[in-house]
Amino acid sequence: MATYQNSAQVLKGLLDATVLLTLSKKDNYGFAIYQEITKQMQGDADLFRESTLYPLLHRLESKGFVDHYWKPGDRGTDRKYYRITKSGKTHLKERVEDWHKVVRVLKRTILAEEGVTK
Amino acid sequence: MILSKLTRFPGTGIPYQAVTGNPALDDFLIELDRHLLGSAKVRMQFLAEIKDHLLEKKDPLIEEGRTEDVAMTSAVQSMGTPDELAKSQREELKKKYIGISVPSGIIFGIFMALFSAFTHLKGKGLVLISLNGLQNGVFFGLFMGWFMTFIWPERQLTSALKTYLSSAEESEFVVHYSKWMRRLSYPITVFFLLMGVYCISFGIAGFFYISINKNLLFPRWMSLVLGGIAIIDFFAVRLCCRKYKVNEDGIYVDDFLGRKKIFAWKNLKRVGLLGDIRPWILRYWKKVKYAEFENGNHKAMRMLVYPDMVNADRLFVLLDKKANM
């Protein structure tokens, strides 16, 4: 449980960028975004819970990084589609740069010493 | 209980459109609805999104060989608790309420206090009447915050800076605004609206020498000034509430009363320079002029573009390309 919570904390910041990256490819609706992300995460998909997706999308929307529109879905009812905004694209670019930095630092520090901790 | 009714108006029950007939899904949606705030329409949109997700999730589980009820129960369980899901929506609305009511209440309160002080001719109780004006303004602001957050948010009355253009065929023509402009949009429009209401009521009362407040007396010419300010205010609010959409047929305009109008590309002609930017009301708006010619009737349409719209130039290019010139 503790391991899950620790991983979730680390992933929280990553998920913002992951959702924005998914939407930067094309406009999409909640379930399809979830599927796309779990597919990308492969074996670690269980770390991304469905209950976190919608609060995350709504938070991104309130920050102006995404907006939405309604379009008829396969079932005939309207479906909510999200799309990335210009400020969302800028934010994504900044986050990706941040993550590159994190990876570089990790490689030079913790991951470089991996053999010692094993 | 009273607070619940105030923040879930109209109606405190689940909107009937959300009911699916599946017991597991309906129970979940009913429970989720209990944790949501806002009008029936706002809650309905939230529930519709979650319902769509769960129905999509259910289908592959059925294909795996589970019964519909088992598949739906499993899908619902994977969604987490209703409280967890609704928490962000509640926080968002609370933030919105504060964002509207506090700045507009303070701005209008100061306006009313100054106005009260200015129109106070008796020379007594100046501080008291100013404080009274300030207090009234703050209450007006709090009321409008509640009204526009929990009662009428879906009408987007304060869409001054949310005015957008969207196009199914060319999605890049969505209007983008900067962060500070989006944040300011609500207080600005609420301020215009409140000032208009205030000016009209006091203007009429003053004109007929009706005393709304025994300490407030002002000359008749002041009524005319207030009437003029009110007209400008309502004109501004009306403009702020317009929404524009563009698709292959033409420009769709929705005004704040919900009236829809289409200016078809084939009937649309341009007047003057497209994207003509004129200084108007402190350079707040850029003005784009069009005219519609249909059956010999000349109808002018004015499209206003806000200066903070970062992709205005691209909009002009689109309109230039589309309009029949």
Side-chain angles (χ1 to χ4, degrees):
Chain A
M1 187 64 187
T3 309
Y4 171 79
Q5 281 177 347
N6 291 340
S7 306
Q9 279 303 314
V10 174
L11 282 169
K12 198 178 174 185
L14 181 64
L15 285 175
D16 282 24
T18 314
V19 168
L20 289 174
L21 185 68
T22 308
L23 289 172
S24 69
K25 291 171 194 164
K26 65 168 186 174
D27 299 356
N28 227 330
Y29 59 97
F31 186 71
I33 296 168
Y34 173 75
Q35 276 186 317
E36 179 74 23
I37 293 173
T38 49
K39 197 172 145 191
Q40 285 172 11
M41 290 173 79
Q42 297 174 3
D44 296 315
D46 59 323
L47 291 170
F48 180 44
R49 294 186 299 161
E50 282 163 82
S51 58
T52 58
L53 174 66
Y54 292 96
L56 173 61
L57 283 168
H58 297 157
R59 185 159 47 83
L60 291 173
E61 193 169 11
S62 71
K63 285 180 178 175
F65 298 147
V66 300
D67 63 3
H68 77 266
Y69 59 94
W70 293 84
K71 201 169 111 178
D74 303 336
R75 296 172 198 282
T77 52
D78 279 356
R79 177 173 277 168
K80 191 176 180 180
Y81 278 80
Y82 292 90
R83 69 182 152 213
I84 191 165
T85 62
K86 192 175 179 182
S87 63
K89 283 176 187 167
T90 311
H91 180 74
L92 173 64
K93 202 178 163 190
E94 287 167 1
R95 291 291 78 75
V96 170
E97 283 169 10
D98 287 346
W99 283 108
H100 276 301
K101 270 184 207 166
V102 171
V103 170
R104 279 200 302 272
V105 173
L106 278 173
K107 277 181 181 171
R108 287 174 199 152
T109 56
I110 297 171
L111 298 179
E113 299 293 327
E114 209 172 20
V116 180
T117 55
K118 273 184 181 175
Chain B
M1 189 63 188
I2 294 170
L3 192 65
S4 165
K5 282 186 178 171
L6 283 174
T7 54
R8 290 163 57 82
F9 184 87
T12 51
I14 184 171
Y16 71 92
Q17 300 97 320
V19 176
T20 62
N22 185 299
L25 182 55
D26 285 348
D27 287 348
F28 182 78
L29 293 176
I30 289 166
E31 188 56 30
L32 177 59
D33 181 60
R34 284 198 191 114
H35 289 83
L36 296 173
L37 298 178
S39 67
K41 188 171 179 181
V42 167
R43 286 182 283 128
M44 180 63 211
Q45 288 183 346
F46 192 95
L47 295 172
E49 189 177 25
I50 302 300
K51 184 171 84 173
D52 185 57
H53 181 107
L54 292 172
L55 291 171
E56 286 279 305
K57 173 99 180 174
K58 178 197 74 172
D59 291 343
L61 296 173
I62 291 174
E63 282 168 20
E64 285 173 14
R66 301 185 205 190
T67 64
E68 185 163 350
D69 286 344
V70 173
M72 185 48 80
T73 307
S74 174
V76 164
Q77 281 170 352
S78 67
M79 202 65 192
T81 65
D83 183 48
E84 199 180 356
L85 265 178
K87 198 178 168 188
S88 64
Q89 192 257 9
R90 291 198 304 267
E91 283 171 359
E92 186 56 38
L93 282 184
K94 282 175 193 167
K95 212 190 296 174
K96 190 174 166 187
Y97 173 73
I98 293 167
I100 296 172
S101 59
V102 173
S104 55
I106 290 170
I107 292 168
F108 194 65
I110 292 168
F111 167 76
M112 283 185 81
L114 290 173
F115 184 78
S116 302
F118 179 65
T119 54
H120 179 265
L121 300 176
K122 283 189 170 178
K124 286 182 182 177
L126 181 66
V127 176
L128 194 67
I129 189 111
S130 300
L131 284 175
N132 192 31
L134 185 66
Q135 178 191 306
N136 289 345
V138 171
F139 276 111
F140 261 124
L142 293 174
F143 170 78
M144 285 306 286
W146 166 77
F147 181 76
M148 297 177 79
T149 306
F150 299 109
I151 307 302
W152 210 21
E154 63 270 25
R155 299 296 168 95
Q156 293 295 327
L157 185 65
T158 56
S159 60
L161 309 151
K162 280 194 169 182
T163 300
Y164 66 93
L165 288 138
S166 64
S167 166
E169 62 162 2
E170 290 175 281
S171 61
E172 70 265 34
F173 291 104
V174 175
V175 172
H176 298 296
Y177 296 106
S178 72
K179 203 175 177 179
W180 74 271
M181 210 66 167
R182 282 199 310 272
R183 282 182 179 169
L184 273 177
S185 66
Y186 280 93
I188 286 171
T189 313
V190 171
F191 174 70
F192 274 137
L193 190 66
L194 288 175
M195 207 160 78
V197 172
Y198 182 83
C199 290
I200 277 198
S201 55
F202 273 75
I204 291 170
F207 191 79
F208 292 105
Y209 294 117
I210 300 164
S211 178
I212 291 179
N213 186 319
K214 63 179 180 179
N215 293 316
L216 276 178
L217 288 170
F218 50 82
R220 259 190 173 177
W221 61 264
M222 182 66 88
S223 303
L224 298 173
V225 174
L226 291 176
I229 294 172
I231 290 167
I232 292 169
D233 287 341
F234 282 117
F235 182 63
V237 171
R238 189 173 144 258
L239 292 175
C240 292
C241 295
R242 273 186 182 165
K243 286 182 182 177
Y244 301 99
K245 285 186 181 181
V246 172
N247 69 10
E248 64 278 9
D249 300 324
I251 305 176
Y252 290 82
V253 184
D254 293 359
D255 70 13
F256 77 114
L257 294 173
R259 290 178 300 198
K260 293 179 194 301
K261 194 172 185 182
I262 179 174
F263 293 83
W265 294 124
K266 59 181 177 157
N267 297 327
L268 201 68
K269 286 189 188 291
R270 202 178 71 181
V271 172
L273 288 170
L274 188 63
D276 183 17
I277 301 166
R278 300 178 190 187
W280 189 55
I281 309 185
L282 304 173
R283 291 183 173 270
Y284 189 68
W285 283 285
K286 293 176 184 177
K287 196 188 281 185
V288 185
K289 265 200 161 185
Y290 280 92
E292 189 189 39
F293 295 90
E294 200 169 8
N295 300 325
N297 296 323
H298 174 259
K299 290 179 189 171
M301 177 198 174
R302 186 171 51 205
M303 179 176 277
L304 298 167
V305 178
Y306 301 95
D308 203 44
M309 192 186 115
V310 292
N311 54 352
D313 294 343
R314 293 169 72 190
L315 169 70
F316 297 154
V317 172
L318 167 75
L319 294 175
D320 210 5
K321 195 174 76 182
K322 292 280 190 181
N324 178 24
M325 289 172 286

